[in-house]
Amino acid sequence: PFPYADRIRFNEDDAQVTTIEGEQYLLASHKLTYSDWSLVHV
């Protein structure tokens, strides 16, 4: 399981800065059109 799934809006493309263990990260997601999956990048 992806531990930061609660920070992602899976039904839309999303990008946000989030804090993980005291460090800031860009968390980006893209809903794939050909499946029920989302591509996530930290």
Side-chain angles (χ1 to χ4, degrees), residues 17-28:
V17 175
T18 189
T19 302
I20 300 171
E21 297 182 11
E23 296 285 331
Q24 288 192 325
Y25 293 89
L26 177 63
L27 182 61

Side-chain angles (χ1 to χ4, degrees), residues 18-42:
T18 189
T19 302
I20 300 171
E21 297 182 11
E23 296 285 331
Q24 288 192 325
Y25 293 89
L26 177 63
L27 182 61
S29 66
H30 175 73
K31 174 83 172 106
L32 300 177
T33 58
Y34 52 85
S35 72
D36 289 334
W37 290 44
S38 291
L39 179 65
V40 178
H41 181 76
V42 179

